[in-house]
Each structure stands twice: as C-alpha cells, then as structure tokens.
Amino acid sequence: MIMAVLGKVKEAGLPLMKLVKLRGMPILQQLHLEERLLRTSSDNWCLINDGTSSPAIVMGLSGKLSELVEAKPVLQDRISIIRRFTGGGTVVVDQNTIFVTLICNKDAVSNVQPFPRSIMSWSGLLYSEVFEGLAGFHLRENDYVFDDRKFGGNAQSITKHRWIHHTSFLWDYEVKNMSYLKLPAKAPEYRLTRSHMDFVCRMKEYVPRSEFIEKTIKAIGGQFSVKSISLESIDIPSVSEYVHTTRLLTEQEIQEACTIQT
Amino acid sequence: MKSSSYCFSDILSLQRNNNQNSREKRRCRQTQSLMALRMWASSTANALKVSSTSRPHLLHPFSFSRCLSSVLDGLKYADSHEWVKHEGSVATIGITDHAQDHLGEVVYVELPESGGTVTQKSGFGAVESVKATSDINSPISGEIVEVNKKLTETPGLVNSSPYEDGWMIKVKPSDPSELDSLMGPKEYTKFCEEEDASH
C-alpha cells in the first residue's frame, strides 16, 4: 500500500512521455514523423520501431553521397537513400534494425543541457540501465558498443526548446547490405580503419529482441511517466506549419554520385 | 575590441594552493563563481567518464586547463547563444564561443539566402556537429543582406573564429529596439555560468 502510494507520488512528479510502439514502419515515414513531432508538438515522445520494411540507407544532413555510399550497387539493387534532418553518420537499415527515438523538452530533463555531448552522455546512462549486467556495454565516441564493436549509432537534432535523440540498433544485419557503405573519411578513433564487418556486431548475440525493447521502456519509466498511445491517435498538425528536411534522394542524384566514383 | 576571459586553471589552482589565497584572488576575476565551476567540472568529468572510458587520464577534473569561453564587449547576446553586433544600418550575427565549444567540431553550416527575412527568436539556419544538427535562432528581426559564403567550404571557422571569420549573416534590422531585450557581455557571462552550473 505504501509502495503503491509512493509509486503514484513519484509518477505524479515525473514528466509525461508518450510511447508509440511501431513494427515495420518504413524508415522514411518514421523520420518524417519524428521531425514533425520535434517541430510541432510540445509533448515528450518515445518512438520504438521494431524493424523497417525495406532495406534503406540513411545519411546525416551534411553527408556527401559519393564519399559514403557505393553508388553503383545501390542503383543496381534499387536501394533507397534518405537524407535525414539530424546529424549522424550513414547507416543501412532493414527489418533487423530496432529504432528508439526520444524527443524531449529541454525542461523535462533539467540535468541535460541542449548541446550534443550533454544529451549523448545522458543517453549513455539511460542505456547503461538497459544493458545492466553486460560488462562490455559502453558509450564510446557517440556510439554504443559492446567492448570495441559498434551495435548502435546515434543521431540528434536540437531546437530552441526541444531535442531529439535517435538511435539505430543493429539487432542483426546482412553482410551484403553492409557492402553498400564506404569507409567514411570521418570515422571515430576507436574504429582504427577496421572494415564494417570488423567494426560492427550483432545485438542478437547479447540480448533477446523483445527483452531489449521491454528493458528500454522500463529504463525510460525511471525518468518519465510513460503512457502508451497508438499511431492513429497522434494529432498531427498541418505539414505546412514547418519545413521538413528529411527526403528521399532522387535516382539522378545517385547517378551523379556513381559518375563521380567511376 | 576588449576581450574578457578567464582561465579555468587559475581558479582550480586556487583550490590547490590555499596558502597563496590572496595572490590567486587578485589574479582571478571570477572567484564568486568558484562553486559553480566546481559543479561544472564535476558534471563534465562525469560526462567524460561516460564517453571516454578508453582515456582514463581525462577523468581527473584537475587536468582541465583550457580557458572558459570568451565574451566580447560591444556585442549583444541571446539566451540561445547567438551574438549580434549592430553597426550603422547593419547587424552581424553568429553563434558565441560558448555555443561552439559545447557543440564541438562544426562540420556543416546551413544558412538562408540573401534577401530573405529573419524573425527574432526564430530559427534561420542550422549547424551540424558530428552527430547533431542544432538550430540557429536570430536575435533580431530584419532582412538578410549578406550571408557568409566562406562557411560552406570552411565550417570550422565557426569554431576557430566565432566572433569574426565565423560570422553567419548580416541583417538590416526592422526594429533596432529589439536589441534592448538582449543581454550585454556581463549578463551573458553570468547566464552561461549559471546554465553550466545547473547541469
């Protein structure tokens, strides 16, 4: 009884976090939704997308296509390339990628400054709870790693009063898909020129898929009052209220990158 | 242009050498912020601990020796960390040294075209630093008369020279009295210290 009361008191003091669980949402649609919620909502949100429908390549705002992607096989295999509104590197995503996105008012997490490193370190502590007991988990140079192998990449965007922290977790991946990526010029120091196959690892070797999602929701529940809502019930304002940045690259743009690479 | 800046190591050395208290106090211009800076060092050390486990030598707070961010006289400052310098009919806008320091290496700057308009407290562009894009908000309203094209090729100018070569846009203010609502250098310095201390 006392515990229940204390629980309610604690919950009453925590900011509300609206949780939307998705499965198989196309990554372009997810990124558009994220951008819209960041720009037009005043609520805190957590989106968890358990896999995306088709393989796609996602690049940060400033990424140079010809330097990051092997354009010819991408054209041949008709892989979509998306330029997102956040920073972040280039990643290949598919049905085995789990996306966790947190969109917060800066006042809701008062111990976090609206700057990249502060948000990143806060997220590292959050996921330390999720991966509690796995000694190899670290936040390392903006990536989540088990020992020195990356399994989660981060991307952020910061506005005047809000911020978004998006993570793509590699629960599993196909070797073929990784070959679409070039070795980036700006790589983290700990990568040490390793190829993608030596640099990344599979989450599935460390934690079951559903357990990871449940533990993530539980960890978020330690800092927010989590309320599940459906995608359909999101009240989406008119898209004209903001200029969205996330977009699909055209075949012509990929063709031009291919020409540069020849 | 007179620059007011203070060295973090001076303040830290005050803690280590109590017997030289009076000498350090004369040299140190920000003793009243000692508690704030101690908290900042603590939170920064914690942040580094999370992100740099492979470099334990960085964990020790007393190894910090860099200077705190510079703030220039003669400029006005916004609480979202932009500066504005009003000269004649034109105001020049950029982000502060405090902002670039917290952002880290700037790899891309997205700016609007000349001829467009900006609105006070609204975003007019963005900077990208490794994993994040951050909005840049205008301190004042007006018409954009010039954009710093150099930043397209050399975004790092925002880091190396935030108040000079790293300027972003020049604006013809539509209402110069908007400048009165911005912070002066002393007020902005205090604002930054308080912001850092509370996190």
Side-chain angles (χ1 to χ4, degrees):
Chain A
M1 181 61 179
I2 292 178
M3 292 301 288
V5 172
L6 287 177
K8 284 185 177 176
V9 169
K10 182 192 176 190
E11 186 148 307
L14 295 177
L16 178 67
M17 171 71 74
K18 294 185 172 180
L19 171 66
V20 184
K21 291 176 78 175
L22 308 161
R23 184 184 294 266
M25 174 177 271
I27 185 60
L28 181 61
Q29 187 180 341
Q30 180 192 330
L31 292 172
H32 279 159
L33 176 60
E34 289 179 7
E35 190 169 7
R36 186 174 304 131
L37 293 177
L38 175 69
R39 295 288 180 186
T40 69
S41 167
S42 59
D43 295 321
N44 302 307
W45 296 89
C46 174
L47 306 185
I48 300 183
N49 191 11
D50 189 356
T52 186
S53 51
S54 308
I57 294 166
V58 182
M59 301 170 59
L61 182 69
S62 69
K64 291 188 173 70
L65 184 55
S66 60
E67 296 174 9
L68 296 166
V69 170
E70 299 287 358
K72 188 171 179 179
V74 164
L75 277 172
Q76 286 171 350
D77 299 344
R78 307 192 72 83
I79 304 296
S80 300
I81 302 182
I82 296 158
R83 187 181 297 286
R84 58 179 157 192
F85 66 102
T86 60
T90 306
V91 62
V92 182
V93 300
D94 58 22
Q95 74 275 12
N96 285 312
T97 312
I98 303 171
F99 306 91
V100 181
T101 301
L102 295 157
I103 302 171
C104 298
N105 293 316
K106 70 176 188 179
D107 293 340
V109 205
S110 57
N111 59 328
V112 178
Q113 279 197 66
F115 287 115
R117 280 189 291 257
S118 188
I119 298 167
M120 193 69 71
S121 67
W122 171 83
S123 78
L125 294 173
L126 179 78
Y127 285 109
S128 289
E129 291 181 40
V130 176
F131 298 106
E132 190 176 15
L134 288 170
F137 171 78
H138 300 295
L139 170 66
R140 194 162 179 186
E141 284 183 78
N142 305 315
D143 295 331
Y144 301 138
V145 301
F146 289 123
D147 299 311
D148 65 347
R149 298 188 71 158
K150 173 178 179 175
F151 69 94
N154 294 304
Q156 300 171 339
S157 189
I158 302 164
T159 68
K160 197 169 196 297
H161 300 296
R162 289 159 73 66
W163 47 262
I164 184 170
H165 184 84
H166 168 113
T167 308
S168 303
F169 289 97
L170 298 177
W171 188 78
D172 194 1
Y173 58 81
E174 289 186 29
V175 171
K176 179 179 189 293
N177 289 350
M178 287 299 165
S179 66
Y180 295 126
L181 302 181
K182 283 179 161 292
L183 195 69
K186 276 186 192 292
E189 287 180 16
Y190 78 99
R191 181 164 183 160
L192 306 169
T193 71
R194 286 179 284 163
S195 71
H196 287 293
M197 306 319 301
D198 291 326
F199 177 49
V200 297
C201 67
R202 295 177 166 91
M203 266 182 82
K204 72 175 186 178
E205 294 168 11
Y206 295 85
V207 60
R209 191 159 179 161
S210 59
E211 184 183 319
F212 163 67
I213 293 173
E214 290 309 311
K215 280 189 168 184
T216 298
I217 296 170
K218 185 181 177 186
I220 293 165
Q223 301 191 42
F224 298 89
S225 173
V226 178
K227 178 186 177 185
S228 286
I229 69 169
S230 67
L231 176 63
E232 291 71 29
S233 68
I234 296 178
D235 183 14
I236 300 178
S238 164
V239 295
S240 66
E241 288 181 22
Y242 77 101
V243 179
H244 87 255
T245 307
T246 302
R247 66 181 186 87
L248 198 60
L249 299 194
T250 64
E251 188 167 332
Q252 183 184 330
E253 286 171 298
I254 305 173
Q255 193 76 55
E256 282 165 9
C258 193
T259 302
I260 293 172
Q261 288 172 352
T262 305
Chain B
M1 257 183 272
K2 181 184 153 193
S3 173
S4 85
S5 64
Y6 22 83
C7 206
F8 189 60
S9 62
D10 282 343
I11 298 171
L12 282 176
S13 68
L14 177 63
Q15 301 181 50
R16 285 198 297 254
N17 303 301
N18 289 326
N19 56 324
Q20 306 179 61
N21 218 27
S22 60
R23 193 193 73 180
E24 292 297 340
K25 269 184 180 173
R26 282 195 300 272
R27 197 153 60 111
C28 180
R29 298 176 53 198
Q30 299 289 337
T31 50
Q32 71 274 20
S33 302
L34 189 58
M35 177 60 69
L37 290 169
R38 188 182 294 122
M39 291 170 65
W40 176 83
S42 174
S43 66
T44 303
N46 285 334
L48 288 170
K49 186 177 296 178
V50 171
S51 60
S52 302
T53 51
S54 63
R55 296 182 289 176
H57 61 284
L58 287 180
L59 299 185
H60 200 294
F62 296 106
S63 68
F64 299 143
S65 59
R66 65 180 183 83
C67 291
L68 291 178
S69 310
S70 66
V71 175
L72 301 197
D73 288 341
L75 306 185
K76 288 285 204 165
Y77 299 88
D79 60 6
S80 45
H81 302 291
E82 294 86 11
W83 58 265
V84 53
K85 182 180 184 183
H86 192 202
E87 290 176 311
S89 63
V90 172
T92 307
I93 294 167
I95 65 168
T96 65
D97 187 34
H98 177 97
Q100 69 80 25
D101 180 60
H102 276 64
L103 288 171
E105 184 193 358
V106 173
V107 296
Y108 181 69
V109 182
E110 186 175 69
L111 295 174
E113 297 294 322
S114 265
T117 59
V118 291
T119 304
Q120 188 180 46
K121 297 187 184 180
S122 286
F124 66 83
V127 292
E128 186 175 344
S129 53
V130 187
K131 297 295 178 182
T133 59
S134 300
D135 283 1
I136 313 165
N137 302 288
S138 184
I140 57 171
S141 308
E143 181 195 346
I144 302 168
V145 295
E146 195 177 341
V147 173
N148 188 359
K149 297 295 187 184
K150 285 183 184 176
L151 298 183
T152 303
E153 287 303 313
T154 322
L157 289 173
V158 172
N159 295 113
S160 59
S161 183
Y163 295 116
E164 286 154 15
D165 297 330
W167 67 274
M168 292 178 174
I169 60 174
K170 292 178 193 279
V171 169
K172 186 177 179 180
S174 57
D175 179 7
S177 69
E178 282 179 335
L179 289 157
D180 298 337
S181 65
L182 302 175
M183 289 179 272
K186 284 184 180 177
E187 193 182 348
Y188 178 64
T189 299
K190 187 166 190 288
F191 173 78
C192 291
E193 287 167 359
E194 287 171 353
E195 191 180 63
D196 280 343
S198 67
H199 291 104

